[in-house]
Amino acid sequence: MYRRFGEVDAAESPLYQRIAFALSESEGALSAIEAVPTPKRHPTVILAALHDLVLAGRAPELAAAYAAGDGDAAGGAAVDTLLRMTDAVVAIAGRRKTRADEAGRCGVLYPAIAEAARRAGANAVGLIDVGCSAGLNLNVDRVGITYGRGQTLGDSSSPVQLSCSVVGDRPVPTRAVPEVAARIGVDLDPVDVTDADEARWLRACLWPDQPERDARLKAEMDLAATVPPLLLQGDAVEVLPEAFAHVPVDALPVVTTTWALSQFSFENRLRFLHRLDEAAAGRVVAWVSAEGVGVAPAIPTLGDRRASGHSIIGLAVFDGSVMRAEAIGRCWSRGRLLAWLADP
């Protein structure tokens, strides 16, 4: 597993590639990893646990190798750290899961949320992000986004500036997201970015030879900490009614899912859709999704094949007993490339 991770997954990270190879070649390191529960033995978890120790100042030799970008030194230091601090690595890996919490998805969410508000005639929205983790995407209106052809949306003065390439000839609509009256995250295990240990773990999940991503994540967490969202812990199907209750009556609830529904069983995806339909009995509700082809129920697939390498951007508006669902775009690379399809 570690050899293959180095050859395939870490091919673009010389540092992690050398560490993965070093761990795969050390019987002592592999024996130490076996002390971790089986589901947590994957290289991404163990390497993040080692990185967490580095960021906490508990693995200075490994930190020095990271800073120098020396893959061979990092491989040796990783093995030594794992053997010397096996209990710490086991403890971290056993209670954590890897996270991908960067707000790059905002490039897809921003125009889709603005479109949802336009269709519903809403002057304010309440954002409910399912599978939110740290809730960074709930600040979609507080970041700046540059699209192809120099087009920009959001806050050009924000400390968080993102980019999203546009595919195809149709430009992204220039409508602004209206006032955000509520920011609510729903997750089985939400992350509080105001907690130093939680924030450090999010950084630990990034690869140490990608400093630009680390700097952006820190800026995103600092931004989120200035207006902390309401984080609700639990199964989305069960928690959604509570989330809707926190959205003011004069704001449009906009539920967002970005690559979250693939973690649901098919039955629970249908239950999720039913929850949205139930909420619409008393008010208009919108759902913006970015999911793999065929994952989001009721969202058209445009004839695309599953596992085609891209995702469908969906928009569903629930108004009483009527649901209008449409595929409004395609995206690639977790929102870094966007093809807008909806009519103006």
Side-chain angles (χ1 to χ4, degrees), residues 10-329:
E12 297 181 2
S13 172
L15 197 66
Y16 264 11
Q17 184 174 67
R18 288 307 311 156
I19 292 175
F21 288 161
L23 294 175
S24 75
E25 295 163 1
S26 168
E27 291 186 8
L30 295 177
S31 295
I33 292 169
E34 287 183 347
V36 177
T38 302
K40 300 297 185 75
R41 295 176 187 173
H42 192 273
T44 55
V45 182
I46 300 302
L47 292 173
L50 290 169
H51 195 191
D52 189 75
L53 293 174
V54 167
L55 295 174
R58 300 172 63 189
E61 292 183 3
L62 186 55
Y66 282 175
D70 188 335
D72 290 331
V79 171
D80 290 344
T81 301
L82 180 57
L83 294 178
R84 181 170 50 85
M85 304 184 70
T86 300
D87 290 346
V89 172
V90 170
I92 295 170
R95 67 186 175 91
R96 298 289 195 184
K97 65 178 181 179
T98 52
R99 302 279 188 170
D101 284 272
E102 295 159 285
R105 306 170 191 194
C106 289
V108 166
L109 290 175
Y110 192 102
I113 293 170
E115 178 67 12
R118 182 189 74 84
R119 295 189 182 190
N123 295 318
V125 295
L127 302 179
I128 301 173
D129 190 22
V130 171
C132 70
S133 189
L136 301 183
N137 290 312
L138 290 166
N139 287 299
V140 59
D141 59 315
R142 303 177 67 216
V143 305
I145 310 164
T146 300
Y147 295 89
R149 309 178 184 92
Q151 180 184 2
T152 61
L153 289 174
D155 184 357
S156 60
S157 65
S158 172
V160 178
Q161 296 295 317
L162 309 173
S163 62
C164 179
S165 299
V166 177
V167 178
D169 298 329
R170 182 166 291 184
V172 176
T174 58
R175 301 179 193 89
V177 170
E179 175 192 355
V180 177
R183 305 174 197 273
I184 305 158
V186 177
D187 197 277
L188 286 172
D189 184 22
V191 176
D192 179 3
V193 296
T194 64
D195 182 293
D197 289 342
E198 297 289 309
R200 186 180 67 245
W201 175 250
L202 293 186
R203 293 180 59 205
C205 291
L206 298 179
W207 295 7
D209 51 358
Q210 298 176 334
E212 70 288 346
R213 292 180 65 189
D214 182 56
R216 187 173 66 191
L217 177 60
K218 287 192 289 185
E220 292 166 1
M221 290 193 294
D222 289 344
L223 182 66
T226 62
V227 184
L230 172 64
L231 299 178
L232 302 179
Q233 183 174 11
D235 178 87
V237 175
E238 304 302 328
V239 174
L240 269 176
E242 180 184 353
F244 281 117
H246 286 283
V247 177
V249 294
D250 58 348
L252 170 71
V254 180
V255 177
T256 59
T257 64
T258 54
W259 300 283
L261 294 186
S262 59
Q263 305 299 315
F264 289 34
S265 67
F266 178 71
E267 178 185 1
N268 279 341
R269 292 178 209 172
L270 295 181
R271 292 177 62 212
F272 167 80
L273 191 67
H274 182 61
R275 279 284 191 241
L276 301 180
D277 188 55
E278 286 180 334
R283 65 197 305 184
V284 178
V285 171
W287 169 35
V288 169
S289 60
E291 304 284 354
V293 177
V295 172
I299 301 299
T301 61
L302 305 172
D304 299 345
R305 292 176 296 133
R306 291 179 181 269
S308 56
H310 68 270
S311 299
I312 300 289
I313 306 166
L315 172 57
V317 177
F318 301 77
D319 188 354
S321 60
V322 177
M323 178 190 70
R324 297 181 296 276
E326 181 183 346
I328 60 174

